[in-house]
Amino acid sequence: MILRLVLADVPLFSCVAPEVLDRLAAVAVTRDVAADTVVAVRGEPARHLVVAETGGLTAVVETAGGRRRRLGEFPAPCAVDKAAVLDGGGHTATWVTTARSRLGFVPATEFLALVDVPAVRAHVFARLASQLRVQQEDLVLTSFADAPTRVAAWLVRAGTSRVRLPGAQQGLAELLGLTRVSVNRALGTLAEEGLVAVEPGAVVVLAPELLTLRAKST
């Protein structure tokens, strides 16, 4: 069962017993979904935990003024929007597939029952706390850092020598809360400093240590 193997690779379920993963996979509904498909809408009840077997998902929010902000990209294997299932307050974002994806939908009742197990609950809360710290770091960058520093921090966090841009420069702008022009100028600045090389749809990190220092220059 493919979903069973995928669940075992998702960090959220790393402490869950194999027989429990078997049950979750058995009750989940799986679907093959085309790229750019909306699979959950912000504010709607989160009746399932969405697990990406292949492909991936991005979280987006659109303001009343029509601006679009990407909250993150999540490549498979992953489970997304745990908070929405836990608090019952509706999806925290609109979730869209980034590529053709195979998704598993685990009933919220099954996930909540799983979190009632003390060891699993501690693990889930630790994962959520870690994600909260990352979000707080992003808030600091958004509030105080200039565009090149914010772009540098995002590239460092990607952790690879060649970083694919999500939706090209416009997608990165939506992810960082900037304009496409600001992202273009920021990448140009980092390139002039000898830290990166810009390619169509990607950035090559030339000096990772110096880029890390640049990312901390708030």
Side-chain angles (χ1 to χ4, degrees), residues 177-194:
L178 299 168
T179 65
R180 188 196 63 77
V181 172
S182 296
V183 167
N184 181 268
R185 290 174 178 168
L187 288 171
T189 297
L190 297 177
E192 289 174 0
E193 294 174 1

Side-chain angles (χ1 to χ4, degrees), residues 51-206:
V51 179
E53 295 184 28
T54 62
L57 296 157
T58 187
V60 300
V61 172
E62 293 190 0
T63 68
R67 291 194 63 186
R68 192 183 201 215
R69 176 73 190 272
R70 296 192 187 207
L71 303 182
E73 290 215 338
F74 305 85
C78 66
V80 300
D81 219 0
K82 285 82 69 177
V85 178
L86 288 171
D87 70 8
H91 286 290
T92 58
T94 295
W95 293 87
V96 184
T97 51
T98 56
R100 183 168 182 81
S101 306
R102 184 165 179 80
L103 306 178
F105 297 84
V106 178
T109 52
E110 293 289 337
F111 179 62
L112 292 172
L114 181 62
V115 175
D116 277 340
V117 178
V120 177
R121 181 166 60 246
H123 176 72
V124 169
F125 285 175
R127 295 287 305 175
L128 292 175
S130 176
Q131 292 171 2
L132 178 60
R133 289 181 181 275
V134 171
Q135 291 170 355
Q136 288 176 328
E137 292 173 2
D138 288 343
L139 179 60
V140 171
L141 284 171
T142 301
S143 301
F144 299 109
D146 59 18
T149 300
R150 289 158 69 176
V151 172
W154 183 83
L155 291 170
V156 168
R157 188 175 295 163
T160 60
S161 59
R162 185 177 186 277
V163 184
R164 182 187 66 82
L165 298 182
Q169 293 186 13
Q170 179 60 39
L172 182 56
E174 293 171 357
L175 189 62
L176 298 180
L178 299 168
T179 65
R180 188 196 63 77
V181 172
S182 296
V183 167
N184 181 268
R185 290 174 178 168
L187 288 171
T189 297
L190 297 177
E192 289 174 0
E193 294 174 1
L195 304 179
V196 305
V198 181
E199 298 180 350
V203 175
V204 178
V205 177
L206 302 177

